[in-house]
Amino acid sequence: MKGATTLFVAIGTSCAVASVQAQSSHGHPQTPPAKSYEKAPQRPANPAEYVIKLEQMPSFYDAPGEFGHLMLGKDHGFKQLSFILTETRPGGGPPLHTHDTEEAHIVLSGTARYVVEDPATKKRNTFTARGPYIVRIPAGHAHTFINAGKQSLNLIGALPASDVSYHELGPNPLIKR
């Protein structure tokens, strides 16, 4: 239980930090770009530091409307923990994808519509969650979401690994093209 308690404290601390930052736009442009991108960190990671700033994380944008930062645990002194911090505009969301580890989505406020596909049966489960919530995504399950609300959705993805696998499977089926 000690390990689980440590994980919950880390997630709670990250939620509190993200909640404070969620009040701003994280420095993202008001008008989202037309194309997706990935950017290297602006400042190198330092595993000796206790506070990890957004500029020390790689950033990304998934058209239409999802900005994010990836905190790879291995770069910041974590042995079994990584985070994905996102700001998703209404109607936006990531491509359909999988991870090799389980993932928890933590949202303090907002509404998201999800698709989670069981790899054994190929059955797609679609559901809507309203914050505050935690969504459990098993390892290897294809998943995505769309911000179904009217305000930006600030989501924290917690993964129990010091490195994050990401396997893009195609466009987000919830986004109207």
Side-chain angles (χ1 to χ4, degrees), residues 139-164:
H141 281 56
H143 61 282
T144 190
F145 67 90
I146 186 172
N147 178 350
K150 294 182 176 26
Q151 302 295 324
S152 286
L153 178 75
N154 296 101
L155 181 147
I156 300 169
L159 299 102
S162 66
D163 202 358
V164 175

Side-chain angles (χ1 to χ4, degrees), residues 97-121:
H97 64 279
T98 64
H99 304 287
D100 294 341
T101 64
E102 62 190 347
E103 180 180 16
H105 285 181
I106 304 153
V107 173
L108 299 178
S109 65
T111 302
R113 183 142 180 84
Y114 281 84
V115 169
V116 179
E117 181 179 290
D118 186 314
T121 64

Side-chain angles (χ1 to χ4, degrees), residues 39-50:
K39 293 182 180 177
Q42 298 168 350
R43 194 164 69 88
N46 182 348
E49 293 179 351
Y50 290 103

Side-chain angles (χ1 to χ4, degrees), residues 51-143:
V51 176
I52 303 163
K53 297 289 202 166
L54 293 180
E55 62 263 15
Q56 293 174 282
M57 303 176 211
S59 62
F60 62 88
Y61 173 72
D62 288 319
E66 185 193 39
F67 295 92
H69 291 85
L70 175 61
M71 193 288 298
L72 289 175
K74 67 180 184 173
D75 295 341
H76 297 276
F78 288 94
K79 294 190 181 351
Q80 296 182 350
L81 190 59
S82 291
F83 293 103
I84 301 169
L85 308 175
T86 69
E87 176 188 342
T88 307
R89 306 283 171 85
L96 185 67
H97 64 279
T98 64
H99 304 287
D100 294 341
T101 64
E102 62 190 347
E103 180 180 16
H105 285 181
I106 304 153
V107 173
L108 299 178
S109 65
T111 302
R113 183 142 180 84
Y114 281 84
V115 169
V116 179
E117 181 179 290
D118 186 314
T121 64
K122 299 297 182 201
K123 180 181 178 209
R124 283 191 172 175
N125 295 295
T126 304
F127 57 92
T128 300
R130 287 178 180 78
Y133 68 79
I134 297 174
V135 168
R136 179 184 64 86
I137 302 166
H141 281 56
H143 61 282

